[in-house]
Structure formats: structure tokens, C-alpha cells
Amino acid sequence: MADIRRVHRFRDHPIAGVNWRPTRFVDELPSSRVCGLCRMIPTRTVLLPCSHILCQSCHAASPQGGSRLCPLDQEPFEEAECTSYALPVSPANALKVYCWNEAHGCEYEGAMEEMLQHFEKECTFHVVECFQCGEAVLHRELATHYVTWCSVGVSSALRDNTSSEYGAVTIEDLRDAIKVVRLLSYFNQVLPAVQSQMNELTEEVTNQESRLAEVTGEGLLNTRPRLPRLSCRNRLLGEMQRMKPARQRRPYPAGRN
């Protein structure tokens, strides 16, 4: 990210095309050359008694009343206490700056007096707006953008090749499709981890069921009613009684009532 403390604008600079354009300097400028309020680089500065430096415009706009106030620290000052300095142009022209197309990929840096020449005739990172989709595209890539990845162009081609049965494909349809593809890609990445966790949970449930079955079986055995134990002698007597043949009845003698 660019250091905004090194971004300044020239004012009243003799080179046309330089003034009021945000320019990032390679080195931080001395405070004596920059307005402490608007960060402009003027041709003339005003030093206040509180040691703050303003350009002529900010100095003239300072709050006025019984005495004027510094807009940076609200310290009062009198006009007679201020000192005005004229800044020569030559040192300003020698200051090194980055190309105005730095944000678009240009890595050029050079003296301020050479920047306009580079920017207007040498730099290949100028950006224009695509007339169809409104995106900012490098001028040298505009033709390729129209043919390959311009969203409106792709939508138009699909619309021309799509039958009326399915209707026209819009930009929103393409954006929704891209979102779905991204979601599917994300799910494919997290699916192995989810599957592993499911396997661990399944194994844990199986183990818990086995333990529950063991505990339940032991409980049934412990709660089964127990019959009173008979002595060996009593059991043998009982068996012998069951095995003894039944006594047959003799018929009564004839004539006996």
C-alpha cells in the first residue's frame, strides 16, 4: 500500500499537466516544502510563529477575528509575525516521483521534470473503461478483453447461441454460476475432513453400543430370580419318588360290598 505521507500535489508549477495531480514521491519531502494543512507543494509558503507552514491559500483562509488562528493547533498569530518564502522550481523538478500509473502496474520512477514525458509518450499502463461492461482495462489489452473475458461480450455470445427454449443468459446468471463453482470448489476441499470426522463419530457410536450391550447383559444376569437351592439328599429323594411305578389296585373279592 502506498505511503500517503509521500503523496502530494503541485500547485502553480510551470510544467503544464503536473498541477493538482496526486503524485507519490520516492523520498519523503522536507516539511518546509509542503503545506502542513492541504499537503500541496506550492511555489510560496508562509511560516507561522508556531512553526507550522501553510501555503498562501490556507494561510489566507485561516480563521480571523481579533487575532488570526493557526488551523493546525489554534495558536493565535499576527500577520507581522509570519514569514513568507519563495520556493525555487529547479529543486522541485529534480525530486524523484513514481509514475502516475503505479496503481496499474507501472514501476517507473524518475525526476519530476521527466515524468510528463514518460507518462504521455512511454508509459503502457494507461487504463480505459470498457464500453460494454464498464470495467477498467489496460488500453493495450482492451481488444483481448472484448474477445475473451468481457462479461457482456460473453453474455451476448451465449444469448445468440442459446435457443429460445432456455431463454437468454444474463450477466447475473454468469455471476451466479461462478458463485456455485466457487462453493463446489470449497466443498471439495473440506469434504475429506468432514468424512474423516464422520468416520470417527461412527466408530465412537459403535463402541458405545457395544459397551451398553455388555452392561445391559450383566444387569439381566444379576436381576434374574434365583430358586432356593435344595440339598443333594432332597433332590435325590424327589427323583426316586417320581421314578417309582404306581401301585396297582387289586380287585375286590366277588360278593363283597
Side-chain angles (χ1 to χ4, degrees), residues 214-255:
E214 294 176 359
V215 172
T216 305
E218 292 178 358
L220 291 175
L221 291 176
N222 294 332
T223 57
R224 183 178 298 171
R226 297 182 179 180
L227 298 175
R229 295 184 178 179
L230 300 175
S231 63
C232 293
R233 181 173 178 276
N234 291 338
R235 287 201 301 272
L236 290 174
L237 290 175
E239 292 294 332
M240 291 174 65
Q241 290 294 333
R242 286 194 296 272
M243 294 174 62
K244 184 182 295 185
R247 180 180 297 177
Q248 297 181 357
R249 288 187 176 183
R250 294 181 180 179
Y252 290 103

mmCIF file of all heavy atoms in Angstrom, residues 214-255:
data_model
loop_
_atom_site.group_PDB
_atom_site.id
_atom_site.type_symbol
_atom_site.label_atom_id
_atom_site.label_comp_id
_atom_site.label_asym_id
_atom_site.label_seq_id
_atom_site.Cartn_x
_atom_site.Cartn_y
_atom_site.Cartn_z
ATOM 1 N N GLU A 214 -22.933 -54.831 26.798
ATOM 2 C CA GLU A 214 -22.281 -55.588 27.865
ATOM 3 C C GLU A 214 -22.874 -55.248 29.224
ATOM 4 O O GLU A 214 -23.164 -56.126 30.037
ATOM 5 C CB GLU A 214 -20.782 -55.286 27.851
ATOM 6 C CG GLU A 214 -20.064 -55.799 26.600
ATOM 7 C CD GLU A 214 -18.609 -55.390 26.593
ATOM 8 O OE1 GLU A 214 -18.198 -54.704 27.562
ATOM 9 O OE2 GLU A 214 -17.895 -55.749 25.642
ATOM 10 N N VAL A 215 -23.060 -53.961 29.467
ATOM 11 C CA VAL A 215 -23.622 -53.542 30.759
ATOM 12 C C VAL A 215 -25.040 -54.060 30.922
ATOM 13 O O VAL A 215 -25.433 -54.542 31.985
ATOM 14 C CB VAL A 215 -23.583 -52.003 30.865
ATOM 15 C CG1 VAL A 215 -24.328 -51.543 32.110
ATOM 16 C CG2 VAL A 215 -22.141 -51.519 30.893
ATOM 17 N N THR A 216 -25.841 -54.015 29.866
ATOM 18 C CA THR A 216 -27.228 -54.487 29.936
ATOM 19 C C THR A 216 -27.282 -55.983 30.190
ATOM 20 O O THR A 216 -28.093 -56.478 30.976
ATOM 21 C CB THR A 216 -27.957 -54.145 28.634
ATOM 22 O OG1 THR A 216 -27.845 -52.746 28.396
ATOM 23 C CG2 THR A 216 -29.422 -54.513 28.726
ATOM 24 N N GLY A 217 -26.392 -56.764 29.540
ATOM 25 C CA GLY A 217 -26.368 -58.216 29.745
ATOM 26 C C GLY A 217 -26.021 -58.578 31.169
ATOM 27 O O GLY A 217 -26.631 -59.449 31.786
ATOM 28 N N GLU A 218 -25.049 -57.925 31.753
ATOM 29 C CA GLU A 218 -24.681 -58.198 33.142
ATOM 30 C C GLU A 218 -25.821 -57.848 34.085
ATOM 31 O O GLU A 218 -26.091 -58.532 35.070
ATOM 32 C CB GLU A 218 -23.433 -57.397 33.497
ATOM 33 C CG GLU A 218 -22.190 -57.871 32.755
ATOM 34 C CD GLU A 218 -20.990 -57.019 33.098
ATOM 35 O OE1 GLU A 218 -21.180 -56.062 33.878
ATOM 36 O OE2 GLU A 218 -19.890 -57.311 32.597
ATOM 37 N N GLY A 219 -26.548 -56.803 33.766
ATOM 38 C CA GLY A 219 -27.664 -56.416 34.626
ATOM 39 C C GLY A 219 -28.777 -57.445 34.618
ATOM 40 O O GLY A 219 -29.378 -57.743 35.641
ATOM 41 N N LEU A 220 -29.043 -58.022 33.433
ATOM 42 C CA LEU A 220 -30.088 -59.040 33.359
ATOM 43 C C LEU A 220 -29.708 -60.276 34.154
ATOM 44 O O LEU A 220 -30.538 -60.901 34.819
ATOM 45 C CB LEU A 220 -30.344 -59.409 31.893
ATOM 46 C CG LEU A 220 -31.017 -58.307 31.052
ATOM 47 C CD1 LEU A 220 -31.105 -58.753 29.598
ATOM 48 C CD2 LEU A 220 -32.410 -58.006 31.606
ATOM 49 N N LEU A 221 -28.432 -60.647 34.068
ATOM 50 C CA LEU A 221 -28.000 -61.817 34.837
ATOM 51 C C LEU A 221 -28.117 -61.566 36.330
ATOM 52 O O LEU A 221 -28.497 -62.452 37.110
ATOM 53 C CB LEU A 221 -26.557 -62.169 34.482
ATOM 54 C CG LEU A 221 -26.344 -62.718 33.056
ATOM 55 C CD1 LEU A 221 -24.858 -62.927 32.793
ATOM 56 C CD2 LEU A 221 -27.094 -64.042 32.871
ATOM 57 N N ASN A 222 -27.804 -60.377 36.747
ATOM 58 C CA ASN A 222 -27.844 -60.069 38.174
ATOM 59 C C ASN A 222 -29.260 -59.960 38.698
ATOM 60 O O ASN A 222 -29.521 -60.179 39.872
ATOM 61 C CB ASN A 222 -27.092 -58.768 38.454
ATOM 62 C CG ASN A 222 -25.599 -58.924 38.177
ATOM 63 O OD1 ASN A 222 -25.058 -60.031 38.287
ATOM 64 N ND2 ASN A 222 -24.945 -57.822 37.812
ATOM 65 N N THR A 223 -30.213 -59.609 37.828
ATOM 66 C CA THR A 223 -31.597 -59.419 38.288
ATOM 67 C C THR A 223 -32.461 -60.657 38.076
ATOM 68 O O THR A 223 -33.640 -60.637 38.404
ATOM 69 C CB THR A 223 -32.230 -58.247 37.531
ATOM 70 O OG1 THR A 223 -32.166 -58.506 36.118
ATOM 71 C CG2 THR A 223 -31.497 -56.946 37.832
ATOM 72 N N ARG A 224 -31.929 -61.744 37.484
ATOM 73 C CA ARG A 224 -32.724 -62.956 37.258
ATOM 74 C C ARG A 224 -33.074 -63.591 38.610
ATOM 75 O O ARG A 224 -32.207 -63.778 39.452
ATOM 76 C CB ARG A 224 -31.929 -63.938 36.408
ATOM 77 C CG ARG A 224 -32.700 -65.207 36.054
ATOM 78 C CD ARG A 224 -31.855 -66.087 35.164
ATOM 79 N NE ARG A 224 -31.551 -65.388 33.915
ATOM 80 C CZ ARG A 224 -30.684 -65.848 33.018
ATOM 81 N NH1 ARG A 224 -30.035 -66.977 33.253
ATOM 82 N NH2 ARG A 224 -30.470 -65.176 31.915
ATOM 83 N N PRO A 225 -34.370 -63.959 38.850
ATOM 84 C CA PRO A 225 -34.758 -64.558 40.156
ATOM 85 C C PRO A 225 -34.076 -65.904 40.380
ATOM 86 O O PRO A 225 -33.976 -66.722 39.468
ATOM 87 C CB PRO A 225 -36.278 -64.710 40.031
ATOM 88 C CG PRO A 225 -36.541 -64.739 38.569
ATOM 89 C CD PRO A 225 -35.517 -63.874 37.932
ATOM 90 N N ARG A 226 -33.605 -66.104 41.583
ATOM 91 C CA ARG A 226 -32.904 -67.341 41.919
ATOM 92 C C ARG A 226 -33.828 -68.269 42.719
ATOM 93 O O ARG A 226 -34.483 -67.835 43.664
ATOM 94 C CB ARG A 226 -31.653 -67.031 42.747
ATOM 95 C CG ARG A 226 -30.631 -66.196 41.976
ATOM 96 C CD ARG A 226 -29.397 -65.966 42.813
ATOM 97 N NE ARG A 226 -28.416 -65.189 42.082
ATOM 98 C CZ ARG A 226 -27.234 -64.843 42.586
ATOM 99 N NH1 ARG A 226 -26.914 -65.200 43.828
ATOM 100 N NH2 ARG A 226 -26.398 -64.147 41.851
ATOM 101 N N LEU A 227 -33.864 -69.534 42.331
ATOM 102 C CA LEU A 227 -34.662 -70.530 43.043
ATOM 103 C C LEU A 227 -33.913 -71.002 44.284
ATOM 104 O O LEU A 227 -32.682 -71.063 44.285
ATOM 105 C CB LEU A 227 -34.944 -71.727 42.124
ATOM 106 C CG LEU A 227 -35.761 -71.393 40.864
ATOM 107 C CD1 LEU A 227 -35.868 -72.636 39.983
ATOM 108 C CD2 LEU A 227 -37.135 -70.874 41.238
ATOM 109 N N PRO A 228 -34.644 -71.317 45.317
ATOM 110 C CA PRO A 228 -33.959 -71.809 46.525
ATOM 111 C C PRO A 228 -33.252 -73.124 46.241
ATOM 112 O O PRO A 228 -33.772 -74.000 45.556
ATOM 113 C CB PRO A 228 -35.106 -71.993 47.529
ATOM 114 C CG PRO A 228 -36.332 -72.083 46.695
ATOM 115 C CD PRO A 228 -36.106 -71.260 45.488
ATOM 116 N N ARG A 229 -32.065 -73.239 46.734
ATOM 117 C CA ARG A 229 -31.267 -74.434 46.491
ATOM 118 C C ARG A 229 -31.685 -75.559 47.466
ATOM 119 O O ARG A 229 -31.795 -75.345 48.666
ATOM 120 C CB ARG A 229 -29.787 -74.121 46.675
ATOM 121 C CG ARG A 229 -29.269 -73.126 45.639
ATOM 122 C CD ARG A 229 -27.789 -72.932 45.821
ATOM 123 N NE ARG A 229 -27.268 -72.027 44.811
ATOM 124 C CZ ARG A 229 -25.999 -71.662 44.737
ATOM 125 N NH1 ARG A 229 -25.132 -72.129 45.633
ATOM 126 N NH2 ARG A 229 -25.606 -70.841 43.787
ATOM 127 N N LEU A 230 -31.902 -76.724 46.917
ATOM 128 C CA LEU A 230 -32.224 -77.897 47.737
ATOM 129 C C LEU A 230 -30.958 -78.674 48.024
ATOM 130 O O LEU A 230 -30.012 -78.649 47.244
ATOM 131 C CB LEU A 230 -33.229 -78.792 47.010
ATOM 132 C CG LEU A 230 -34.580 -78.135 46.670
ATOM 133 C CD1 LEU A 230 -35.423 -79.111 45.853
ATOM 134 C CD2 LEU A 230 -35.309 -77.726 47.928
ATOM 135 N N SER A 231 -30.989 -79.348 49.084
ATOM 136 C CA SER A 231 -29.839 -80.192 49.401
ATOM 137 C C SER A 231 -29.789 -81.364 48.438
ATOM 138 O O SER A 231 -30.781 -81.711 47.783
ATOM 139 C CB SER A 231 -29.943 -80.699 50.837
ATOM 140 O OG SER A 231 -31.089 -81.520 50.957
ATOM 141 N N CYS A 232 -28.652 -81.976 48.323
ATOM 142 C CA CYS A 232 -28.496 -83.116 47.405
ATOM 143 C C CYS A 232 -29.436 -84.255 47.794
ATOM 144 O O CYS A 232 -30.018 -84.931 46.938
ATOM 145 C CB CYS A 232 -27.045 -83.603 47.439
ATOM 146 S SG CYS A 232 -25.901 -82.389 46.745
ATOM 147 N N ARG A 233 -29.601 -84.460 49.078
ATOM 148 C CA ARG A 233 -30.457 -85.562 49.539
ATOM 149 C C ARG A 233 -31.897 -85.341 49.129
ATOM 150 O O ARG A 233 -32.574 -86.249 48.637
ATOM 151 C CB ARG A 233 -30.361 -85.683 51.064
ATOM 152 C CG ARG A 233 -31.193 -86.807 51.661
ATOM 153 C CD ARG A 233 -30.888 -86.932 53.142
ATOM 154 N NE ARG A 233 -31.706 -87.965 53.730
ATOM 155 C CZ ARG A 233 -32.955 -87.811 54.157
ATOM 156 N NH1 ARG A 233 -33.507 -86.598 54.045
ATOM 157 N NH2 ARG A 233 -33.639 -88.815 54.694
ATOM 158 N N ASN A 234 -32.391 -84.129 49.325
ATOM 159 C CA ASN A 234 -33.778 -83.845 48.964
ATOM 160 C C ASN A 234 -34.002 -83.992 47.468
ATOM 161 O O ASN A 234 -35.044 -84.465 47.017
ATOM 162 C CB ASN A 234 -34.159 -82.447 49.407
ATOM 163 C CG ASN A 234 -34.235 -82.333 50.926
ATOM 164 O OD1 ASN A 234 -34.399 -83.351 51.622
ATOM 165 N ND2 ASN A 234 -34.114 -81.110 51.440
ATOM 166 N N ARG A 235 -33.020 -83.584 46.666
ATOM 167 C CA ARG A 235 -33.178 -83.716 45.218
ATOM 168 C C ARG A 235 -33.222 -85.183 44.815
ATOM 169 O O ARG A 235 -34.003 -85.593 43.957
ATOM 170 C CB ARG A 235 -32.026 -82.993 44.503
ATOM 171 C CG ARG A 235 -32.149 -81.462 44.560
ATOM 172 C CD ARG A 235 -31.336 -80.824 43.452
ATOM 173 N NE ARG A 235 -29.924 -81.164 43.528
ATOM 174 C CZ ARG A 235 -29.035 -80.472 44.233
ATOM 175 N NH1 ARG A 235 -29.423 -79.407 44.913
ATOM 176 N NH2 ARG A 235 -27.766 -80.837 44.254
ATOM 177 N N LEU A 236 -32.383 -86.003 45.440
ATOM 178 C CA LEU A 236 -32.375 -87.435 45.110
ATOM 179 C C LEU A 236 -33.685 -88.098 45.503
ATOM 180 O O LEU A 236 -34.235 -88.937 44.766
ATOM 181 C CB LEU A 236 -31.210 -88.130 45.812
ATOM 182 C CG LEU A 236 -29.818 -87.763 45.266
ATOM 183 C CD1 LEU A 236 -28.739 -88.402 46.132
ATOM 184 C CD2 LEU A 236 -29.684 -88.250 43.828
ATOM 185 N N LEU A 237 -34.206 -87.756 46.672
ATOM 186 C CA LEU A 237 -35.473 -88.339 47.100
ATOM 187 C C LEU A 237 -36.593 -87.971 46.150
ATOM 188 O O LEU A 237 -37.469 -88.785 45.827
ATOM 189 C CB LEU A 237 -35.806 -87.879 48.525
ATOM 190 C CG LEU A 237 -34.915 -88.458 49.642
ATOM 191 C CD1 LEU A 237 -35.275 -87.829 50.982
ATOM 192 C CD2 LEU A 237 -35.078 -89.985 49.715
ATOM 193 N N GLY A 238 -36.577 -86.758 45.721
ATOM 194 C CA GLY A 238 -37.612 -86.334 44.787
ATOM 195 C C GLY A 238 -37.545 -87.097 43.483
ATOM 196 O O GLY A 238 -38.570 -87.499 42.922
ATOM 197 N N GLU A 239 -36.334 -87.325 42.992
ATOM 198 C CA GLU A 239 -36.183 -88.068 41.750
ATOM 199 C C GLU A 239 -36.648 -89.510 41.925
ATOM 200 O O GLU A 239 -37.283 -90.082 41.038
ATOM 201 C CB GLU A 239 -34.717 -88.028 41.296
ATOM 202 C CG GLU A 239 -34.225 -86.661 40.868
ATOM 203 C CD GLU A 239 -34.934 -86.200 39.620
ATOM 204 O OE1 GLU A 239 -35.366 -87.039 38.808
ATOM 205 O OE2 GLU A 239 -35.053 -84.956 39.439
ATOM 206 N N MET A 240 -36.333 -90.119 43.055
ATOM 207 C CA MET A 240 -36.728 -91.506 43.289
ATOM 208 C C MET A 240 -38.235 -91.625 43.380
ATOM 209 O O MET A 240 -38.821 -92.603 42.896
ATOM 210 C CB MET A 240 -36.077 -92.013 44.590
ATOM 211 C CG MET A 240 -34.552 -92.161 44.465
ATOM 212 S SD MET A 240 -33.780 -92.592 46.037
ATOM 213 C CE MET A 240 -34.509 -94.224 46.304
ATOM 214 N N GLN A 241 -38.907 -90.704 43.999
ATOM 215 C CA GLN A 241 -40.357 -90.750 44.092
ATOM 216 C C GLN A 241 -40.993 -90.681 42.713
ATOM 217 O O GLN A 241 -41.985 -91.342 42.430
ATOM 218 C CB GLN A 241 -40.863 -89.589 44.961
ATOM 219 C CG GLN A 241 -40.528 -89.731 46.441
ATOM 220 C CD GLN A 241 -41.257 -90.923 47.078
ATOM 221 O OE1 GLN A 241 -42.341 -91.331 46.630
ATOM 222 N NE2 GLN A 241 -40.653 -91.503 48.114
ATOM 223 N N ARG A 242 -40.429 -89.878 41.848
ATOM 224 C CA ARG A 242 -41.008 -89.763 40.509
ATOM 225 C C ARG A 242 -40.766 -91.016 39.687
ATOM 226 O O ARG A 242 -41.546 -91.364 38.820
ATOM 227 C CB ARG A 242 -40.415 -88.542 39.797
ATOM 228 C CG ARG A 242 -40.956 -87.226 40.332
ATOM 229 C CD ARG A 242 -40.611 -86.093 39.382
ATOM 230 N NE ARG A 242 -39.162 -85.883 39.293
ATOM 231 C CZ ARG A 242 -38.501 -85.076 40.121
ATOM 232 N NH1 ARG A 242 -39.143 -84.443 41.096
ATOM 233 N NH2 ARG A 242 -37.204 -84.921 39.982
ATOM 234 N N MET A 243 -39.645 -91.712 39.950
ATOM 235 C CA MET A 243 -39.318 -92.900 39.166
ATOM 236 C C MET A 243 -40.030 -94.151 39.684
ATOM 237 O O MET A 243 -40.105 -95.156 38.979
ATOM 238 C CB MET A 243 -37.800 -93.137 39.202
ATOM 239 C CG MET A 243 -37.011 -92.031 38.487
ATOM 240 S SD MET A 243 -35.238 -92.232 38.676
ATOM 241 C CE MET A 243 -35.046 -93.830 37.869
ATOM 242 N N LYS A 244 -40.589 -94.187 40.904
ATOM 243 C CA LYS A 244 -41.234 -95.379 41.464
ATOM 244 C C LYS A 244 -42.527 -95.641 40.699
ATOM 245 O O LYS A 244 -43.335 -94.744 40.535
ATOM 246 C CB LYS A 244 -41.551 -95.175 42.940
ATOM 247 C CG LYS A 244 -42.132 -96.412 43.604
ATOM 248 C CD LYS A 244 -42.471 -96.120 45.058
ATOM 249 C CE LYS A 244 -41.192 -95.813 45.836
ATOM 250 N NZ LYS A 244 -41.486 -95.638 47.282
ATOM 251 N N PRO A 245 -42.778 -96.970 40.234
ATOM 252 C CA PRO A 245 -44.012 -97.260 39.471
ATOM 253 C C PRO A 245 -45.230 -97.159 40.372
ATOM 254 O O PRO A 245 -45.176 -97.430 41.557
ATOM 255 C CB PRO A 245 -43.793 -98.688 38.981
ATOM 256 C CG PRO A 245 -42.812 -99.284 39.913
ATOM 257 C CD PRO A 245 -41.922 -98.177 40.370
ATOM 258 N N ALA A 246 -46.283 -96.754 39.787
ATOM 259 C CA ALA A 246 -47.523 -96.597 40.564
ATOM 260 C C ALA A 246 -48.052 -97.961 41.002
ATOM 261 O O ALA A 246 -48.015 -98.933 40.241
ATOM 262 C CB ALA A 246 -48.568 -95.870 39.720
ATOM 263 N N ARG A 247 -48.548 -98.081 42.279
ATOM 264 C CA ARG A 247 -49.071 -99.349 42.815
ATOM 265 C C ARG A 247 -50.418 -99.648 42.176
ATOM 266 O O ARG A 247 -51.284 -98.799 42.137
ATOM 267 C CB ARG A 247 -49.229 -99.240 44.333
ATOM 268 C CG ARG A 247 -49.760 -100.525 44.964
ATOM 269 C CD ARG A 247 -49.888 -100.350 46.464
ATOM 270 N NE ARG A 247 -48.566 -100.112 47.029
ATOM 271 C CZ ARG A 247 -48.380 -99.872 48.336
ATOM 272 N NH1 ARG A 247 -49.419 -99.808 49.159
ATOM 273 N NH2 ARG A 247 -47.161 -99.675 48.801
ATOM 274 N N GLN A 248 -50.520 -100.928 41.673
ATOM 275 C CA GLN A 248 -51.763 -101.329 41.037
ATOM 276 C C GLN A 248 -52.793 -101.750 42.107
ATOM 277 O O GLN A 248 -52.449 -102.383 43.084
ATOM 278 C CB GLN A 248 -51.529 -102.526 40.098
ATOM 279 C CG GLN A 248 -50.588 -102.182 38.953
ATOM 280 C CD GLN A 248 -50.392 -103.386 38.041
ATOM 281 O OE1 GLN A 248 -50.932 -104.493 38.320
ATOM 282 N NE2 GLN A 248 -49.664 -103.175 36.976
ATOM 283 N N ARG A 249 -54.021 -101.387 41.900
ATOM 284 C CA ARG A 249 -55.093 -101.761 42.824
ATOM 285 C C ARG A 249 -55.574 -103.182 42.545
ATOM 286 O O ARG A 249 -55.762 -103.553 41.397
ATOM 287 C CB ARG A 249 -56.285 -100.808 42.670
ATOM 288 C CG ARG A 249 -56.017 -99.426 43.220
ATOM 289 C CD ARG A 249 -57.307 -98.659 43.153
ATOM 290 N NE ARG A 249 -57.117 -97.351 43.750
ATOM 291 C CZ ARG A 249 -58.091 -96.469 43.881
ATOM 292 N NH1 ARG A 249 -59.310 -96.779 43.442
ATOM 293 N NH2 ARG A 249 -57.867 -95.307 44.441
ATOM 294 N N ARG A 250 -55.767 -103.947 43.636
ATOM 295 C CA ARG A 250 -56.347 -105.287 43.477
ATOM 296 C C ARG A 250 -57.854 -105.173 43.417
ATOM 297 O O ARG A 250 -58.456 -104.422 44.159
ATOM 298 C CB ARG A 250 -55.967 -106.182 44.667
ATOM 299 C CG ARG A 250 -54.475 -106.463 44.715
ATOM 300 C CD ARG A 250 -54.205 -107.370 45.903
ATOM 301 N NE ARG A 250 -52.789 -107.669 45.983
ATOM 302 C CZ ARG A 250 -52.246 -108.427 46.940
ATOM 303 N NH1 ARG A 250 -53.032 -108.944 47.889
ATOM 304 N NH2 ARG A 250 -50.942 -108.668 46.949
ATOM 305 N N PRO A 251 -58.460 -106.060 42.581
ATOM 306 C CA PRO A 251 -59.936 -106.009 42.511
ATOM 307 C C PRO A 251 -60.541 -106.554 43.800
ATOM 308 O O PRO A 251 -59.981 -107.445 44.438
ATOM 309 C CB PRO A 251 -60.255 -106.889 41.307
ATOM 310 C CG PRO A 251 -59.070 -107.780 41.141
ATOM 311 C CD PRO A 251 -57.887 -107.031 41.631
ATOM 312 N N TYR A 252 -61.647 -106.021 44.203
ATOM 313 C CA TYR A 252 -62.324 -106.509 45.415
ATOM 314 C C TYR A 252 -62.874 -107.905 45.166
ATOM 315 O O TYR A 252 -63.302 -108.226 44.061
ATOM 316 C CB TYR A 252 -63.481 -105.568 45.785
ATOM 317 C CG TYR A 252 -62.982 -104.220 46.283
ATOM 318 C CD1 TYR A 252 -63.010 -103.118 45.465
ATOM 319 C CD2 TYR A 252 -62.505 -104.115 47.594
ATOM 320 C CE1 TYR A 252 -62.565 -101.908 45.924
ATOM 321 C CE2 TYR A 252 -62.061 -102.899 48.039
ATOM 322 C CZ TYR A 252 -62.084 -101.794 47.224
ATOM 323 O OH TYR A 252 -61.646 -100.587 47.677
ATOM 324 N N PRO A 253 -62.909 -108.787 46.240
ATOM 325 C CA PRO A 253 -63.489 -110.153 46.075
ATOM 326 C C PRO A 253 -64.961 -110.059 45.706
ATOM 327 O O PRO A 253 -65.660 -109.116 46.076
ATOM 328 C CB PRO A 253 -63.319 -110.789 47.471
ATOM 329 C CG PRO A 253 -62.254 -109.961 48.133
ATOM 330 C CD PRO A 253 -62.358 -108.606 47.588
ATOM 331 N N ALA A 254 -65.370 -111.077 44.959
ATOM 332 C CA ALA A 254 -66.761 -111.095 44.500
ATOM 333 C C ALA A 254 -67.686 -111.228 45.690
ATOM 334 O O ALA A 254 -67.424 -111.984 46.627
ATOM 335 C CB ALA A 254 -66.978 -112.274 43.530
ATOM 336 N N GLY A 255 -68.736 -110.613 45.648
ATOM 337 C CA GLY A 255 -69.758 -110.673 46.682
ATOM 338 C C GLY A 255 -69.501 -109.717 47.798
ATOM 339 O O GLY A 255 -70.328 -109.592 48.693
#
